[in-house]
């Protein structure tokens, strides 16, 4: 979706979701949650559970899978003891992630707002991406999950930017709602049904959309 040049006047930063945008994490997430369920003696996830664990935080995903009773607490205790680098070998980057970030960084600050929690730093370090982002907000430092507007408020504070000076790249209804709650423009990634300011299917479409021409970098 092409936007007019004046749509990005004053833009200072690009904020990214992680899972489903930077990380192709479906296999990793399925393996991770099934590992917890197996530890608890529970059956593996159903296909309809996969969409939920993709968009929700750890807490939301475990509530969905186990309710809020004893099994949920046992799962949380087990998770807290797990090393943060477990299952990172199953993560993959979506195509063109690093080139997209390199191009955008020539003009804009970069940030992350994610519902991934204690594995965020380890996952970004695994791919050498942590230092590319000026600020990273997770449920651990926000105290809430997306789509609560506090998540974006912390991102904006870390960037020193106003809501009209950023765009957010997301792939789910949770990301859409975060942007509605925060009055931030959404770039929908690989989902044309999201209500978004723009849609892209490849991350390399984003620099051009935001006025960064690779031939001029």
């Amino acid at each position: 979706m092409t936007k007019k040049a004046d749509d990005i006047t004053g833009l200072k930063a690009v904020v990214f979701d992680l899972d489903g945008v930077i990380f192709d994490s479906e296999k990793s997430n399925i393996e991770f949650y099934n590992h917890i369920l197996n530890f608890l003696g529970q059956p593996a996830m159903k296909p309809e559970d996969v969409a939920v664990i993709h968009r929700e935080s750890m807490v939301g995903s475990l509530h969905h899978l186990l309710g809020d009773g004893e099994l949920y607490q046992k799962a949380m205790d087990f998770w807290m003891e797990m090393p943060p680098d477990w299952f990172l070998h199953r993560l993959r980057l979506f195509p063109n992630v690093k080139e997209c970030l390199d191009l955008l960084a020539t003009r804009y600050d970069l940030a992350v707002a994610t519902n991934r929690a204690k594995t965020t730093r380890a996952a970004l370090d695994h791919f050498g991406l942590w230092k590319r982002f000026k600020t990273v907000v997770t449920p651990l430092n926000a105290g809430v999950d997306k789509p609560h507007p506090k998540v974006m408020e912390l991102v904006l504070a870390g960037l020193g930017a106003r809501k009209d000076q950023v765009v957010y790249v997301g792939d789910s209804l949770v990301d859409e709602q975060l942007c509605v709650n925060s009055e931030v423009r959404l770039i929908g990634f690989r989902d044309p049904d999201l209500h978004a300011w723009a849609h892209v299917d490849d991350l390399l479409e984003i620099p051009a959309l935001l006025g960064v021409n690779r031939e001029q970098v």
Side-chain angles (χ1 to χ4, degrees):
M1 180 181 294
T2 302
K3 293 294 174 182
K4 297 178 182 178
D6 58 6
D7 285 340
I8 59 171
T9 300
L11 190 68
K12 291 181 60 176
V14 184
V15 188
F16 287 86
D17 183 24
L18 287 184
D19 295 279
V21 174
I22 299 294
F23 300 146
D24 183 356
S25 56
E26 182 174 294
K27 290 181 179 179
S28 175
N29 287 342
I30 290 172
E31 186 175 330
F32 173 78
Y33 284 102
N34 278 341
H35 179 73
I36 294 175
L37 291 172
N38 180 68
F39 169 77
L40 297 171
Q42 299 298 302
M45 289 190 299
K46 302 179 180 68
E48 57 266 30
D49 295 325
V50 175
V52 176
I53 66 165
H54 172 75
R55 68 175 183 263
E56 295 291 339
S57 66
M58 179 74 186
V59 169
S61 296
L62 289 180
H63 273 304
H64 168 77
L65 295 170
L66 299 167
D68 57 3
E70 182 181 356
L71 281 178
Y72 167 79
Q73 191 55 55
K74 287 183 176 179
M76 288 296 291
D77 292 343
F78 181 60
W79 169 63
M80 291 301 295
E81 295 176 358
M82 292 173 63
D85 58 350
W86 278 22
F87 303 103
L88 292 186
H89 66 286
R90 301 288 280 173
L91 280 178
R92 298 291 183 269
L93 293 180
F94 276 102
N96 303 316
V97 164
K98 293 183 178 180
E99 186 174 359
C100 170
L101 297 179
D102 284 345
L103 288 168
L104 290 173
T106 64
R107 183 174 299 186
Y108 302 111
D109 289 330
L110 306 177
V112 166
T114 179
N115 272 345
R116 181 177 283 265
K118 75 171 187 174
T119 60
T120 298
R121 176 66 184 262
L124 288 170
D125 278 340
H126 179 70
F127 293 106
L129 297 179
W130 176 261
K131 292 183 179 179
R132 294 176 185 247
F133 299 102
K134 185 174 181 178
T135 190
V136 175
V137 176
T138 78
L140 295 182
N141 53 5
V144 292
D145 305 337
K146 295 184 303 179
H148 196 290
K150 182 180 178 182
V151 174
M152 189 61 72
E153 289 169 8
L154 289 178
V155 170
L156 294 175
L159 290 168
R162 302 187 310 267
K163 60 189 178 183
D164 61 307
Q165 294 177 314
V166 306
V167 293
Y168 183 72
V169 185
D171 69 306
S172 72
L173 290 173
V174 168
D175 297 326
E176 178 186 303
Q177 193 59 51
L178 172 67
C179 289
V180 170
N181 293 345
S182 307
E183 299 181 321
V184 164
R185 288 170 288 183
L186 172 67
I187 298 176
F189 182 59
R190 298 179 61 170
D191 187 346
D193 294 327
L194 293 176
H195 290 88
W197 172 76
H199 291 88
V200 298
D201 292 315
D202 187 303
L203 291 173
L204 273 185
E205 296 175 56
I206 298 174
L209 176 70
L210 302 181
V212 180
N213 188 327
R214 73 178 72 185
E215 282 76 26
Q216 296 175 345
V217 174

